[in-house]
Amino acid sequence: MRISVIGCGYLGAVHAASMAKLGHDVIGIDTDAAKVQALALGEAPFYEPGLPELLRETVTTGRLVFTTEIAAAAEAQVHFVCVGTPQKRGEYAADLRFVDAAITGLLPYLRAGSLVAGKSTVPVGTAHRLAGLVTGAQAEAMLAWNPEFLREGYAVKDTLHPDRIVYGIPGGPGSAAGVRAEKILDEVYATPLAEHIPKVVTDYTTAELVKVAANSFLATKISFINAMAELCEATGADVTQLADAIGYDSRIGRKFLNAGLGFGGGCLPKDIRAFMARAGELGVDQALSFLREVDSINMRRRVRMVDLAREVCGGSIVGRRVAVLGAAFKPDSDDVRDSPALNVAAQMQLQGAHVVVTDPEAIANAQLAWPTLSFASSAEDAAAGADVVLLLTEWRQYRELDPVAFGRLVSGRRIIDGRNVLDPFTWRAAGWTYRALGRGTAVQQPGVEVHAALAAQGVSPTSP
Ligand code: UGA
């Protein structure tokens, strides 16, 4: 099929390359000339594992081209809208100006049988409004809403092998226009559908809600375990063991129960806020008032991290050298949008600490966002002479640091594990003060408490 992809950011660039990989002829369109130039050469303009290889492969076939000219969309039958919907300044609501501009820009190039497929995350009701614009411009054109569930860091895999495909089609399932739209989308996704990936065909509003409901659930799950972390901190319990134990219940599941510094990025935080704003407009704000608490729990983790660093530094961080490992909002990404790590680094800097941040991929983006912070190109350089080390983004290279060798670089062996990924015992054995979010002051060796309780009863823990 001939496909255009409007917006070539984290979502669109991967979608465009993946569609070409599936055998389609794809035109990627973006207003950013530098991005288009890089993509046209088969170079990824951001860090995403697997994307450079996929781009090189698909650009070489000639099936994938990029341009800044929206008129190039005229050649395509299916148009995927992949532009961003950031949070409006000073408001919770989503800013739809890029979606509106993309659709308006496309209108002159629609023809009979064209399908516009929205992938951007939008407030419920948007697709209905945009469908009016599409059919107003070309009565025989259609709009579908086809939300995207890819995770940064796994974007290529998630696009080529999604765990479900959702179509919101005009008139809902069974309508004549809906059937036509479904048929076109089935052709686009023929390869993943042949892998028996579940497909949900529904109306616009359900499709729009599926996306924000999924992200709200994920955010709630993370904040739930972080609320438990607060309880663990107050009682001396261990949130990682708690997560393991409740996660064995398959109704709960262990995924997305990693307690720590909480969620950030370009999706979860702004999506739950836009969802609350939309619920307010619909008169059902009470239904989502819990998301306000989800947001608050999440933001409290960042404050708690600064407080913990202060505590570990003996009551003040003024003039203290702080090494921050991680700037991206999560590992395997260079995205620093609403990054918890950078938020903590900036707070500490503003409170008088001398902060040095490092990240394997996100330093350039971090520098743009927080030019007043200091940056180092490696964990070792960042840690030189540090009074305290904060692990805030769990890149593999930080998880695998050798506490003995690393300990020789710092001036004080104090580490706070903001993501609960280090082994407390090896770090403590190497002379470090190890603290973590949600694990009290002393992380127990598994079973130690049990051993102590048994010893008090005069029973040897090793006795049969
Ligand atoms: C999220 C969703 O997971 C995707 O399904 C969705 O398509 C995407 O948003 C989107 O709307 O575009 P993403 O933002 O790439 O994907 O990142 P996640 O993997 O969801 O992580 C979000 C944040 O939660 C990160 O800051 C991560 O560190 C944090 N997190 C994740 C935790 O604190 N604990 C966990 O157990 C898991």
Side-chain angles (χ1 to χ4, degrees):
M1 300 200 85
R2 295 183 77 82
I3 290 174
S4 83
V5 175
I6 325 288
C8 295
Y10 288 98
L11 162 58
V14 177
H15 191 70
S18 300
M19 291 301 105
K21 172 82 179 169
L22 295 181
H24 304 300
D25 285 319
V26 184
I27 308 156
I29 303 170
D30 199 289
T31 50
D32 181 337
K35 194 183 281 179
V36 163
Q37 202 178 3
L39 287 164
L41 294 170
E43 290 165 13
F46 50 84
Y47 181 79
E48 180 61 44
L51 181 60
E53 296 80 358
L54 185 65
L55 275 171
R56 269 197 300 277
E57 180 193 332
T58 47
V59 166
T60 315
T61 61
R63 285 201 309 273
L64 177 60
V65 295
F66 290 93
T67 176
T68 53
E69 297 300 325
I70 187 78
E75 292 170 31
Q77 183 193 1
V78 184
H79 309 277
F80 283 102
V81 175
C82 296
V83 293
T85 51
Q87 189 176 337
K88 273 188 188 164
R89 258 174 210 273
E91 281 181 53
Y92 270 13
D95 184 346
L96 294 179
R97 85 178 88 154
F98 304 111
V99 172
D100 288 340
I103 299 279
T104 316
L106 264 177
L107 294 180
Y109 306 105
L110 298 179
R111 45 189 160 85
S114 292
L115 178 72
V116 180
K119 291 199 88 63
S120 310
T121 303
V122 291
V124 57
T126 306
H128 178 72
R129 175 175 66 80
L130 298 176
L133 297 178
V134 167
T135 50
Q138 165 53 261
E140 299 292 308
M142 290 164 291
L143 177 99
W145 216 259
N146 173 218
E148 179 56 56
F149 305 99
L150 68 80
R151 298 158 296 169
E152 287 177 27
Y154 300 89
V156 172
K157 181 190 155 288
D158 286 351
T159 306
L160 290 172
H161 309 282
D163 44 22
R164 79 286 213 190
I165 297 177
V166 177
Y167 304 164
I169 52 174
S175 78
V179 169
R180 283 203 304 279
E182 182 181 349
K183 208 162 154 273
I184 296 172
L185 287 171
D186 280 352
E187 216 174 310
V188 170
Y189 293 117
T191 309
L193 288 172
E195 291 171 12
H196 304 295
I197 285 163
K199 177 179 95 172
V200 178
V201 181
T202 182
D203 51 45
Y204 288 156
T205 52
T206 308
E208 291 166 320
L209 281 172
V210 165
K211 170 66 197 213
V212 279
N215 276 1
S216 297
F217 190 86
L218 294 172
T220 304
K221 207 169 172 191
I222 299 169
S223 278
F224 174 82
I225 200 64
N226 282 333
M228 295 305 109
E230 292 188 15
L231 268 295
C232 288
E233 282 156 18
T235 56
D238 184 319
V239 75
T240 62
Q241 288 189 307
L242 183 144
D244 290 345
I246 64 172
Y248 284 125
D249 183 332
S250 60
R251 294 170 302 173
I252 296 173
R254 181 62 176 83
K255 287 183 185 161
F256 266 67
L257 276 187
N258 294 324
L261 198 50
F263 59 82
C267 302
L268 263 44
K270 64 103 177 157
D271 284 354
I272 61 169
R273 292 173 193 153
F275 200 14
M276 284 188 268
R278 187 68 185 124
E281 288 166 5
L282 294 167
V284 285
D285 42 339
Q286 263 192 327
L288 297 188
S289 57
F290 74 96
L291 287 178
R292 211 169 281 280
E293 200 49 48
V294 165
D295 204 359
S296 302
I297 293 166
N298 192 51
M299 299 311 276
R300 279 208 296 274
R301 292 288 78 191
R302 303 177 185 190
V303 178
R304 170 70 185 141
M305 173 51 84
V306 178
D307 288 345
L308 191 52
R310 189 179 291 108
E311 192 183 316
V312 165
C313 287
S316 172
I317 54 171
V318 177
R320 292 299 198 136
R321 293 181 69 85
V322 180
V324 168
L325 308 187
F329 84 103
K330 68 176 200 177
D332 296 315
S333 172
D334 64 355
D335 194 346
V336 299
R337 286 176 293 172
D338 199 356
S339 164
L342 275 186
N343 182 304
V344 166
Q347 279 190 66
M348 294 188 70
Q349 168 105 338
L350 290 169
Q351 292 179 31
H354 176 63
V355 182
V356 182
V357 181
T358 187
D359 191 283
E361 298 293 340
I363 292 178
N365 286 342
Q367 252 163 343
L368 285 175
W370 291 99
T372 51
L373 285 170
S374 301
F375 294 91
S377 55
S378 70
E380 287 72 20
D381 287 350
D387 295 302
V388 60
V389 176
L390 312 186
L391 194 167
L392 304 186
T393 312
E394 67 277 33
W395 286 91
R396 186 183 45 77
Q397 43 272 67
Y398 305 153
R399 295 197 307 257
E400 292 175 355
L401 281 170
D402 172 5
V404 176
F406 204 58
R408 293 192 197 107
L409 307 171
V410 295
S411 74
R413 293 187 176 196
R414 303 178 189 94
I415 187 153
I416 308 182
D417 181 359
R419 295 290 178 180
N420 283 305
V421 288
L422 301 176
D423 175 19
F425 312 108
T426 47
W427 282 79
R428 288 209 173 115
W432 289 78
T433 298
Y434 170 94
R435 295 291 301 272
L437 292 173
R439 302 179 91 175
T441 47
V443 180
Q444 299 286 316
Q445 187 96 30
V448 164
E449 327 77 308
V450 180
H451 293 184
L454 291 173
Q457 295 166 31
V459 180
S460 161
T462 52
S463 57

